[in-house]
Amino acid sequence: MKSPRIRSVDPLVTVHEVRVQDMTLSPTLTALCAGFEDGAWRSNQLTQDIFDRHLASFALSFTEWSGIDGNTAAMMLRKAAKAVYATKKYGLRGEFGELLLHAAVKDFFDAQPAVSKIHFKDSDNDTVKGFDCVHLVESDGEIELWLGEVKYYKSLSRAITDVVAELKNHVAAGFLRREFIAITNKLDAAWAHTETVKQLLHEHRTLDEIRDRLVIPVMLTYDSGTVAAHSVNDEAYRSALTAEVTAGWTKFAAAIDDDFPVTLHLILVPLASKKQLTNLFHQRLEVWKHL
């Protein structure tokens, strides 16, 4: 299994920080946390940061996102917010998890979006089928296609159970071929890597070769007992968090076949409260819809 190139991120740029990471494991392990301020987990700061830096590239096509300027910024950000969903029944929806995954692979693995799945929804409140993100990473002169999975859950055990079942289905030949067709049909002609990705996923190329260039980042969120029990980023917190996410990794790794055919990167995101974070995301989304 390959290990990805890790991007060094200035902590003044991103609210999420890497708290635990071991790239020698298989699957690799990365744990992200927003930390604390004045005794409280930084949920407000995290939602603001994710929206400010990542909503546009998450929800818009490459042409729309790359063409934003001073004259179009408000209009395009409003369009991005409206593209996510248009329902008040948002509690069980997964778009915010997909946004967190998009932000994480961009910030920490230097990935660039190949296709905005949200951009191609058929109607406002559709859920998008297939992989939860489609990104590209350039590594050692070659490209890797990162096809992400995310479970935006409260329970880590349930997230592991559900994502493992999904992973096994999503690396099957029939599913991959259908997904490759959907991806190539949606690539933006103006994106510099469109033809390269089309060649990589061409129907005449063997799946054995394609799978060697595929990476699945697996993001699992959960309500964390460790985050809830602490209020400062001190040694006690870091030690407890390391133990918690290591236990999560152990359970996930045990459920994955040793001969799993695609490189996996496990990204754990412990939360103080998924419900609170979802409400904050929704409130901010409603504001942005009316920019």
Side-chain angles (χ1 to χ4, degrees):
M1 292 294 184
K2 304 180 291 294
S3 291
R5 178 182 61 184
I6 305 302
R7 182 180 183 184
S8 178
V9 181
D10 186 339
L12 297 180
V13 173
T14 176
V15 171
H16 251 164
E17 294 186 46
V18 173
R19 302 296 181 188
V20 180
Q21 188 164 69
D22 190 339
M23 308 311 291
T24 67
L25 296 173
S26 180
T28 65
L29 170 63
T30 299
L32 306 175
C33 185
F36 306 93
E37 183 173 306
D38 289 337
W41 188 68
R42 297 198 300 168
S43 52
N44 273 302
Q45 295 90 330
L46 178 60
T47 56
Q48 179 176 332
D49 177 49
I50 295 293
F51 267 58
D52 286 353
R53 295 191 301 112
H54 294 295
L55 182 64
S57 59
F58 170 70
L60 300 176
S61 70
F62 173 80
T63 295
E64 291 173 330
W65 168 54
S66 61
I68 293 175
D69 59 24
N71 294 321
T72 63
M75 177 182 67
M76 297 310 294
L77 291 174
R78 183 167 61 246
K79 180 177 181 179
K82 289 181 177 180
V84 178
Y85 61 73
T87 177
K88 293 184 178 179
K89 298 179 179 180
Y90 57 88
L92 298 177
R93 297 183 65 91
E95 287 89 348
F96 296 140
E98 294 167 16
L99 178 55
L100 284 168
L101 174 60
H102 168 78
V105 296
K106 279 191 68 186
D107 280 345
F108 300 104
F109 298 98
D110 207 19
Q112 51 182 299
V115 171
S116 166
K117 303 294 288 287
I118 293 292
H119 177 74
F120 289 98
K121 288 194 306 183
D122 292 328
S123 62
D124 284 345
N125 295 318
D126 277 354
T127 54
V128 183
K129 304 299 189 295
F131 288 102
D132 295 321
C133 78
V134 182
H135 286 65
L136 178 143
V137 172
E138 297 180 78
S139 178
D140 298 326
E142 295 187 340
I143 67 162
E144 298 170 346
L145 195 63
W146 285 43
L147 303 175
E149 298 280 5
V150 59
K151 294 301 176 189
Y152 183 54
Y153 282 13
K154 294 175 61 176
S155 165
L156 181 56
S157 293
R158 183 178 161 224
I160 291 171
T161 299
D162 287 359
V163 82
V164 167
E166 205 164 85
L167 285 169
K168 293 177 180 179
N169 290 331
H170 284 190
V171 295
F175 182 91
L176 284 177
R177 288 298 188 188
R178 290 191 298 273
E179 190 73 355
F180 294 163
I181 292 170
I183 290 169
T184 54
N185 286 341
K186 294 169 182 174
L187 291 167
D188 193 315
W191 186 48
H193 298 285
T194 287
E195 289 306 316
T196 302
V197 174
K198 285 183 177 180
Q199 288 299 314
L200 172 63
L201 302 182
H202 196 281
E203 62 180 343
H204 292 168
R205 192 181 294 275
T206 172
L207 278 177
D208 294 341
E209 184 180 352
I210 297 173
R211 285 193 184 104
D212 191 53
R213 304 273 290 280
L214 298 182
V215 175
I216 301 180
V218 180
M219 174 177 281
L220 308 178
T221 76
Y222 62 98
D223 283 0
S224 164
T226 298
V227 174
H230 290 78
S231 58
V232 293
N233 179 23
D234 57 10
E235 183 57 37
Y237 166 70
R238 291 190 290 271
S239 177
L241 188 67
T242 298
E244 180 180 272
V245 300
T246 300
W249 176 89
T250 300
K251 184 172 183 178
F252 176 78
I256 294 292
D257 296 335
D258 291 338
D259 59 348
F260 194 80
V262 177
T263 298
L264 297 173
H265 298 312
L266 180 63
I267 304 171
L268 297 180
V269 183
L271 310 173
S273 167
K274 184 231 176 182
K275 181 178 180 180
Q276 179 196 41
L277 189 67
T278 300
N279 288 339
L280 289 171
F281 270 130
H282 179 72
Q283 292 165 16
R284 194 169 295 277
L285 192 72
E286 290 301 303
V287 170
W288 280 45
K289 286 179 181 179
H290 300 94
L291 286 174

